[in-house]
Amino acid sequence: MTDIRQTPQDPDGEPHPDRLEGATSPGSSTGAPGRPGAEQDSPAQAEDGNALEEEGEIAADYLEELLDTADLDGDIDIEVREGRTYLSVVADGDDDESLAVLVGQDGEVLEALQELVRLSVLAATDRRSRLVLDIGGYRSRRSVVLQDMALAAVREARETGERVHLDPLSAYERKIVHDVVAEQGLVSESEGEGAARHIVVSVPQA
């Protein structure tokens, strides 16, 4: 049985590290009426929020049907934050191993499912979606690996002064690496096309 849960948006939360490459945060804050210094949602922001909630519900319905077809049990969490919809599928009783088939080797199945879910939203709304799908906590675990990878590349670039090429990554994963490298004060660029697109880390030029 699939349970769909919605998590209300938390405008005061910390920025999420898993933003897509090239994505920008709205940068606006909201607050309760009458709170000093609080900014209220504009009609455009409210409309965007409603659209994101709608795409979350459409995507969750699609995933629910997929789980039923595959005879898999899981709960679907929907969260809207920083202008993006996040969907997480977790197994009943936290037995995420049962959902491993939907992740696949190196997350290949997960990436394909994310594209299918986005297409389901496009078909229903005629709007392109930037939603992020996670299954069994894979993206959270992968984020730790990517941060370690980025830090290792930063150390190598500092020690050798050479440009460090990383293995090809998805746009989602490249954004995580870009953020870590920027925090360390180094430069990162994406090079290559398609499946060969990867990040190159270097020290800033004087």
Side-chain angles (χ1 to χ4, degrees), residues 2-7 16 18 51-67 74-81 84-90 99 102-103 110 113-121 129-140 172:
T2 303
D3 181 30
I4 300 176
R5 302 186 293 251
Q6 275 198 318
T7 303
H16 193 272
D18 300 343
L52 291 173
E53 290 177 2
E54 179 187 13
E55 78 171 37
E57 293 171 359
I58 293 169
D61 288 342
Y62 179 88
L63 284 171
E64 184 176 17
E65 291 184 12
L66 185 149
L67 290 173
D75 296 331
I76 302 173
D77 289 334
I78 308 172
E79 184 177 1
V80 175
R81 63 176 183 269
R84 192 185 301 278
T85 303
Y86 292 83
L87 271 76
S88 298
V89 182
V90 295
L99 296 175
L102 298 180
V103 176
L110 172 58
L113 283 176
Q114 178 173 275
E115 290 307 309
L116 287 175
V117 172
R118 288 178 175 180
L119 287 173
S120 74
V121 173
S129 171
R130 297 187 303 126
L131 69 80
V132 175
L133 172 64
D134 191 13
I135 296 178
Y138 172 81
R139 292 203 188 276
S140 297
Y172 179 92

Side-chain angles (χ1 to χ4, degrees), residues 100-169:
V101 66
L102 298 180
V103 176
Q105 184 175 1
D106 298 327
E108 292 180 351
V109 177
L110 172 58
E111 292 295 334
L113 283 176
Q114 178 173 275
E115 290 307 309
L116 287 175
V117 172
R118 288 178 175 180
L119 287 173
S120 74
V121 173
L122 176 63
T125 66
D126 202 30
R127 295 191 304 267
R128 293 194 176 278
S129 171
R130 297 187 303 126
L131 69 80
V132 175
L133 172 64
D134 191 13
I135 296 178
Y138 172 81
R139 292 203 188 276
S140 297
R141 296 190 298 272
R142 178 65 173 163
S143 177
V144 174
V145 173
L146 292 169
Q147 291 177 48
D148 289 343
M149 180 191 303
L151 291 173
V154 165
R155 288 193 296 270
E156 182 178 347
R158 283 174 173 162
E159 291 171 0
T160 66
E162 301 290 334
R163 302 172 81 233
V164 179
H165 291 255
L166 301 182
D167 291 334
L169 300 169

Side-chain angles (χ1 to χ4, degrees), residues 28-61:
S28 60
S29 61
T30 59
R35 189 174 70 184
E39 297 179 6
Q40 303 304 309
D41 285 340
S42 68
Q45 289 174 320
E47 182 178 351
D48 288 344
N50 292 335
L52 291 173
E53 290 177 2
E54 179 187 13
E55 78 171 37
E57 293 171 359
I58 293 169
D61 288 342

Side-chain angles (χ1 to χ4, degrees), residues 167-199:
D167 291 334
L169 300 169
S170 68
Y172 179 92
E173 295 182 333
R174 291 197 302 271
K175 187 63 176 74
I176 296 174
V177 174
H178 282 309
D179 286 348
V180 173
V181 173
E183 289 173 359
Q184 296 297 315
L186 269 69
V187 177
S188 62
E189 301 173 285
S190 292
E191 295 185 357
E193 300 296 333
R197 194 156 178 80
H198 63 283
I199 288 178

